[in-house]
Amino acid sequence: QEITGGNVYLDNVQANGNRLTGAMIEATGEVGISNSIFSFSLHGKGLSVTAGGEITLTNVTAANNDLDGAYLKGACTTGTVTGGTFADNGQYGLEVIDGNLILNDSPIFANNGAGNIFEDPGTCIFIEVTDDDPGASDEDPGDSGEDTGKTDEDTGDTGYDTGVTDN
């Protein structure tokens, strides 16, 4: 079955024993699928999603399909998989194209013919921002913040922020 639309949300769907792809979703916005099963698709994928927005799979089972269990194609967006099972598929358990993959709550991957996960961000660039030391400060305690060019007598600070810490 093919589903198209802006945002698509599916819950408690079963697409089993199809001759081609179990479910094909094309959306210009977000796609969210939860508590659903896509299995035993002959000559196809269990689930195929193409979306312009975020793709979220929660407790999805995609198993025993001739090709991929689940195929996700984004537009430099994020695919988040929470829980679920992706096993015994002819190709990959999960294939993510032009997107970033986030796995939560240990999804199960097993016995997939070509490998458990294939991820290709394409030409997309994803940057993970972390704050290793949330208590750190970039401010120099001896600097008033004004760039006067004058030297502080007590620290030797010129008032210019050079990134060097006074000792």
Side-chain angles (χ1 to χ4, degrees), residues 11-13 33-38 56-62 80-86 104-107:
D11 187 32
N12 291 315
V13 171
I33 303 170
S34 59
N35 307 308
S36 298
I37 300 171
F38 305 94
T56 304
L57 303 182
T58 304
N59 298 322
V60 167
T61 296
T80 302
V81 176
T82 302
T85 300
F86 303 85
N104 295 320
D105 294 338
S106 303

Side-chain angles (χ1 to χ4, degrees), residues 140 143-152 156-164 166:
D140 181 347
D143 188 354
S144 66
E146 294 181 37
D147 290 335
T148 62
K150 296 180 182 177
T151 302
D152 293 346
D157 190 348
T158 62
Y160 297 104
D161 189 1
T162 62
V164 177
D166 295 330

Side-chain angles (χ1 to χ4, degrees), residues 49 51-55 71-80 95-102 117-126:
V49 177
E54 304 298 311
I55 302 169
Y71 172 87
L72 310 179
K73 182 168 182 9
C76 295
T77 56
T78 298
T80 302
E95 184 171 354
V96 179
I97 305 296
D98 295 334
N100 182 39
L101 176 61
I102 297 174
I117 299 172
F118 178 82
E119 186 176 5
D120 180 3
T123 59
C124 305
I125 298 173
F126 299 98

